[in-house]
Amino acid sequence: MDQSGSMKDKVNKGVKWDLLAAALKSFVADPKSAGIGVGIGYFPVPPSDSDFSCNAGDYAVPDVAIAPLPTNEAALAASIDGHSPGGHTPTVPALNGALDYAKDWATAHPTHKVVVVFATDGDPNGCSSTVDAAAAAAATGDQGVPSISTYVVGIGKSLSKLDQIAQSGGTGQAFIVDTAGDTEKAFLDAMNQIRAAAVLPCEFEIPAADAGAIDFTRVNVESIPETGGPRAELLQVVDAGACDPVSGGWYYDDANFSSKMEIGGASCSAVEAGTGEGDVLLGCTT
C-alpha cells in the first residue's frame, strides 16, 4: 500500500489516504473475504522525504503477516489506522520486497494461491525506480516458481503506464480509481474484482503424501454449497470433454497421476464464481 506524501492530497469526498483506508477496512471486514489470507505492507519505509529505504529486504517484512480473515481483521485495521502518508514512491524495491515475501509464503503453503496487490497513486519516483524496472520485477514474480501474480491499483488520473506492470505481472491491466468520483467505493470495487479474479483455478497440484503412498483409486471430490446445503459428490471422468454440462466432474490430467487434478464443466464455473467450498477426500473407492 502506497503511503507516499501525495496520499495526503484532497480529492472528491475527502483525503485520498482516509478514503482508501476506509475501503481497505471494509474489504477485510466483508463476510465475502472470510477464509482468504490477507497481510499488508507499506511504502516508503519509513514514510519520510529524506531517509526512506531503497532496500527490497525492508519491504519483504510486512506490517501485518498473511493470515486468514476474519481472524486477521483486527490486526489489519489497527495497522491501517496506525499509518499516515509521507515521502516518495520507491516502487521497485517495494514491489520486489512484496514479491519476495509472497513467494516465501507460497513456498511454505503450497496448497494456496498467492498474489500481490500493489496499490499506488503515482508513477515510480524514488530509489531510481522506473516503470520498466517495476514491470521487470512483476514479470519475474509471475514467471517464477511458485508463480506470484501482481495486481495493480492506480489511484488518480494519467496512470496508464501502470498497465505495463500489471501486464508483466500476469493480470492484464491496472485498475484505475478516478479520484474525481467516489474514491472509496471505486477502490473497494477494485479490491472486490481482484478477490473474484484471484480465486483458485480449476486445477490443483497433487501433493506428496505425508507418509506412504496415495491410492489414486480411492479419491473423491465433494462440493459444499455456499448456502450450507447438502454436499454433492462430483463424478470422476476421463477428461474435460466427458464432464457433464450440468453437474460437471473431475479428472486427473494424465494416466500416471503425476501432476494435477482438474475440475471441469459446471463444477469449474462454480469454483470460478467463488461460491461454496470443496473437499478432496482420501480412503474410499472413487
Side-chain angles (χ1 to χ4, degrees):
M1 182 67 185
D2 188 342
Q3 62 175 356
S4 62
S6 56
M7 294 288 275
K8 292 185 288 189
D9 292 350
K10 290 184 178 180
V11 295
N12 187 41
K13 297 196 173 184
V15 174
K16 248 190 279 189
W17 176 262
D18 295 339
L19 297 170
L20 301 183
L24 275 177
K25 288 190 286 185
S26 294
F27 178 78
V28 300
D30 187 345
K32 292 182 180 178
S33 294
I36 64 173
V38 176
I40 193 168
Y42 306 87
F43 64 100
V45 174
S48 166
D49 288 331
S50 58
D51 63 353
F52 58 88
S53 175
C54 291
N55 180 4
D58 291 332
Y59 298 95
V61 181
D63 202 61
V64 178
I66 294 174
L69 295 172
T71 304
N72 215 25
E73 178 192 345
L76 290 163
S79 169
I80 294 164
D81 287 341
H83 280 254
S84 58
H88 293 279
T89 313
T91 302
V92 172
L95 182 54
N96 273 320
L99 288 165
D100 287 345
Y101 172 72
K103 182 175 181 179
D104 288 346
W105 201 93
T107 300
H109 301 81
T111 60
H112 290 248
K113 180 179 179 181
V114 185
V115 305
V116 166
V117 180
F118 197 79
T120 181
D121 77 332
D123 291 331
N125 69 353
C127 302
S128 302
S129 295
T130 64
V131 170
D132 287 344
T140 299
D142 184 55
Q143 296 164 14
V145 179
S147 175
I148 307 296
S149 301
T150 297
Y151 290 87
V152 180
V153 183
I155 301 100
K157 297 180 179 179
S158 303
L159 295 175
S160 59
K161 291 180 181 179
L162 296 179
D163 283 343
Q164 185 179 339
I165 303 173
Q167 290 165 2
S168 297
T171 59
Q173 65 183 49
F175 294 85
I176 302 299
V177 173
D178 185 355
T179 53
D182 190 333
T183 301
E184 180 179 341
K185 181 181 183 302
F187 187 78
L188 181 58
D189 287 346
M191 292 296 296
N192 288 338
Q193 290 180 63
I194 291 168
R195 180 179 61 199
V199 296
L200 285 172
C202 293
E203 59 183 37
F204 304 88
E205 300 289 337
I206 297 174
D210 292 333
I214 297 174
D215 183 345
F216 291 99
T217 68
R218 293 180 174 271
V219 176
N220 289 279
V221 180
E222 291 185 346
S223 66
I224 308 166
E226 187 176 27
T227 55
R231 293 168 174 257
E233 287 193 355
L234 305 184
L235 294 180
Q236 183 189 12
V237 295
V238 294
D239 56 31
C243 286
D244 185 275
V246 176
S247 58
W250 70 276
Y251 53 94
Y252 295 112
D253 72 330
D254 65 51
N256 296 318
F257 317 119
S258 60
S259 181
K260 299 175 182 176
M261 297 173 62
E262 302 194 22
I263 298 173
S267 305
C268 179
S269 299
V271 170
E272 291 179 330
T275 57
E277 299 178 1
D279 278 342
V280 177
L281 310 175
L282 306 179
C284 294
T285 302
T286 303

